[in-house]
Amino acid sequence: MKRTVLAVVAIGTSLVAPGPLAGHAVEQAATPPADGTFRTGPALAPACSGVPIRTTDNAAQVVDEWPSGTTFCFASGLHRISETIRPKANQVLASDDGAVLTGSVRLTKWSASNAAWVTTGALPPAYPQTGQCEDNKTNICYLREQVFYDGKHLTRVASRDKVAHGTFYADYAANAIYLGDIPAGHAVEMSSTPTAIEPGGNNVTVRGLTVEHFATPPQGGAVVLGLGWHVYANELRWNHAIGAMLQNADNAVLEKNWIHDNGQLGVGQYSTLKGTISANDISDNNTDGFWIADWESGGVKTTWSSGGSVTGNLIQDNRGIGLWSDAYDDSRTFSNNQIIDNAADGIRYEIGRNGVIVGNSISGNGFGTGRGSGTSLWDGGGINVNTSSNVQVRDNAVANNVNGISIQSRTRGSGPWGTNVLRDIVVSGNQVTMRGGTTATGMVQNSGATIPAGEVSLDDNTYILDSLAAERFQKTGQWYTAKEWRATGQDTGSAFTIGKAILDATGVLTILPAVN
């Protein structure tokens, strides 16, 4: 891994106050590179020695027949998982041989049907909607059964007449699936089993497996971690909802996994004490159209959890928020992550307390379009702190996002700690690039959530701007230039400089000279 360094060269005009000087290199903590050298997934798993599980075995039954502490070695090849595996305490589910666990079934017996093909009898009975979709008119993202054509994920359409190349339609009332491509001579599969692995006991290890094509319900994981679980060096892909879910999983560790192309979210965490999400590649999630701006889609979301950390992950190209803490997280640390090109906020810390956001490299986030997207501070930015208390945002490189750092005070009701309010927010030591458009850093409030004086402090930061005369700072509806912003009492010890910032794939932020 490389270290994130602020390398400043040939800076143009600057406005410098006592404190960090423009032109000084500021070293930050290690972050994972996005240049293809970051290693995750089954290739990192160690050798396996234990009870073999063949591709023809019922894996859930084999695991159930052996006592706690047994190690199981999945053989190379495709294991069709028709019932959820529930390992006992201290068991190990592993492979060093390329085992793939799939929750899909083959679809056969197709017949032609008005320029499409149809098969019947594979769908479950219709079930109610959960979750919110980006397309809130057709509302089909919640439907769990995905279809794959020679391994390629097909796009679900909302009606029979929309079926075309690369798409399918599922008619639950008629128990029929319509396909827009010729099935003859091709492998067509449908995700069917809801979950691959979930707790039957504590302190379980899962390593070296590829887990794919599970029909997970919204907010459900293909792999669900329990107390003390260690899930590492796996590939979790193309599951309908969440790749890995830490649920009541105190002290669990999720690390060195490649978690990608899942339908809703890469990683979820709920009601967990001191969980660790570390050194994972979490990319390209929300393939099935969940609401990008505001409903649990994207890279990582944690809720109702205390302690623990999300650290050293590469979180990129997710159709939603990169890393999101919401709903009564307490004492969470988000550190040393590289968070790149996610459709909504890079990091959002919402309705929580005692958070630390430190040493992250955050670039290119928040440019998604669609329902609820936008460019104001209300819509977020590289880092968004929303109606939370005692949150430190420090030593982050925040470059070229839709906004820099957005501090939001909203009317959000009450919870276990009383009324949800924005209090005691400290933003310091960050390098923030804001150039063009309406890009800004600052704070916003609604009429029922006024921010008391002194509760938000920004200082000792470095800002890289397109112009010192540009209004790149905002405080509750008023816009300010750098000089005017300092006069409000914020960032009095910060540096403001003109230049262009490039945060490269290895986490190095370089300021190039301004073009006259």
Side-chain angles (χ1 to χ4, degrees):
M1 291 189 186
K2 304 225 175 160
R3 297 182 70 80
T4 301
V5 176
L6 177 64
V8 184
V9 294
I11 300 176
T13 305
S14 61
L15 175 61
V16 180
L21 297 179
H24 285 198
V26 180
E27 190 170 3
Q28 291 196 351
T31 56
D35 59 1
T37 62
F38 184 49
R39 304 294 295 166
T40 59
L44 303 181
C48 186
S49 177
V51 175
I53 297 181
R54 300 165 297 181
T55 58
T56 54
D57 290 336
N58 180 325
Q61 184 177 18
V62 173
V63 170
D64 189 56
E65 289 171 349
W66 288 80
S68 300
T70 301
T71 293
F72 302 94
C73 299
F74 285 79
S76 175
L78 193 68
H79 297 252
R80 292 202 181 271
I81 306 301
S82 59
E83 56 182 300
T84 301
I85 302 168
R86 296 179 176 86
K88 301 181 180 71
N90 301 300
Q91 288 186 338
V92 178
L93 306 181
S95 179
D96 58 5
D97 203 20
V100 177
L101 278 58
T102 182
S104 66
V105 294
R106 294 289 299 270
L107 297 180
T108 58
K109 299 181 181 178
W110 295 92
S111 59
S113 175
N114 294 329
W117 287 264
V118 63
T119 188
T120 59
L123 290 169
Y127 43 84
Q129 178 181 342
T130 56
Q132 295 191 43
C133 305
E134 180 68 19
D135 178 355
N136 61 343
K137 295 180 180 178
T138 62
N139 278 325
I140 57 175
C141 70
Y142 76 96
L143 295 168
R144 306 167 192 173
E145 291 71 34
Q146 299 169 301
V147 175
F148 300 88
Y149 184 88
D150 289 337
K152 179 183 178 181
H153 174 265
L154 299 182
T155 300
R156 182 190 290 272
V157 294
S159 60
R160 167 67 182 83
D161 62 298
K162 300 296 185 184
V163 174
H165 171 69
T167 71
F168 78 98
Y169 169 61
D171 184 339
Y172 288 81
N175 199 349
I177 297 173
Y178 294 88
L179 189 69
D181 296 276
I182 299 172
H186 298 274
V188 184
E189 303 191 0
M190 183 192 75
S191 57
S192 178
T193 307
T195 307
I197 303 167
E198 67 181 24
N202 301 336
N203 303 314
V204 168
T205 297
V206 180
R207 66 174 193 251
L209 302 175
T210 295
V211 179
E212 66 176 20
H213 299 185
F214 284 84
T216 45
Q219 299 180 309
V223 176
V224 181
L225 286 70
L227 292 169
W229 280 43
H230 187 195
V231 174
Y232 73 100
N234 303 282
E235 181 177 0
L236 312 179
R237 67 189 187 193
W238 295 114
N239 302 289
H240 173 61
I242 303 174
M245 183 73 189
L246 289 74
Q247 184 168 324
N248 301 312
D250 297 356
N251 298 302
V253 176
L254 179 75
E255 63 174 343
K256 299 181 181 178
N257 302 281
W258 184 19
I259 305 173
H260 65 99
D261 292 292
N262 295 286
Q264 176 200 340
L265 191 66
V267 178
Q269 177 173 304
Y270 171 74
S271 188
T272 290
L273 175 66
K274 296 182 179 178
T276 299
I277 301 168
S278 176
N280 303 283
D281 181 341
I282 303 167
S283 55
D284 300 292
N285 296 289
N286 190 17
T287 62
D288 282 5
F290 287 87
W291 187 10
I292 291 172
D294 215 25
W295 197 84
E296 296 197 18
S297 66
V300 181
K301 185 172 186 183
T302 79
T303 63
W304 292 88
S305 295
S306 299
S309 64
V310 181
T311 183
N313 301 281
L314 176 60
I315 304 173
Q316 63 178 339
D317 296 317
N318 298 285
R319 296 182 68 242
I321 296 167
L323 172 52
W324 187 1
S325 169
D326 188 18
Y328 310 111
D329 269 3
D330 190 357
S331 302
R332 306 284 285 128
T333 298
F334 296 166
S335 64
N336 308 346
N337 301 286
Q338 182 139 218
I339 302 175
I340 306 171
D341 295 338
N342 300 283
D345 296 324
I347 294 177
R348 182 184 296 181
Y349 204 94
E350 181 175 3
I351 317 181
R353 65 183 184 183
N354 305 323
V356 177
I357 301 170
V358 59
N360 302 282
S361 297
I362 305 167
S363 64
N365 300 283
F367 293 100
T369 59
R371 187 163 66 100
S373 298
T375 60
S376 77
L377 285 181
W378 286 112
D379 301 303
I383 298 174
N384 173 0
V385 179
N386 181 342
T387 321
S388 296
S389 61
N390 189 29
V391 179
Q392 299 178 44
V393 180
R394 53 183 170 85
D395 302 325
N396 302 283
V398 183
N400 308 319
N401 302 281
V402 67
N403 285 299
I405 298 175
S406 172
I407 310 298
Q408 302 179 357
S409 181
R410 299 175 180 258
T411 306
R412 299 302 299 271
S414 300
W417 310 321
T419 303
N420 297 312
V421 294
L422 182 82
R423 297 289 187 273
D424 194 16
I425 310 301
V426 177
V427 180
S428 65
N430 304 284
Q431 297 91 44
V432 184
T433 303
M434 297 182 293
R435 295 176 54 83
T438 58
T439 305
T441 282
M443 61 197 81
V444 290
Q445 65 186 28
N446 62 20
S447 59
T450 302
I451 305 171
E455 291 294 347
V456 177
S457 172
L458 295 91
D459 209 0
D460 297 326
N461 301 294
T462 298
Y463 295 99
I464 304 96
L465 309 174
D466 48 339
S467 167
L468 294 181
E471 294 179 329
R472 295 279 169 241
F473 300 90
Q474 185 179 354
K475 182 177 180 182
T476 60
Q478 297 296 313
W479 289 82
Y480 302 92
T481 65
K483 184 176 180 179
E484 293 167 343
W485 176 246
R486 180 178 286 168
T488 70
Q490 297 290 352
D491 282 307
T492 58
S494 295
F496 303 79
T497 187
I498 300 173
K500 180 180 180 182
I502 298 175
L503 185 60
D504 72 14
T506 63
V508 174
L509 177 63
T510 302
I511 304 175
L512 301 178
V515 177
N516 295 326

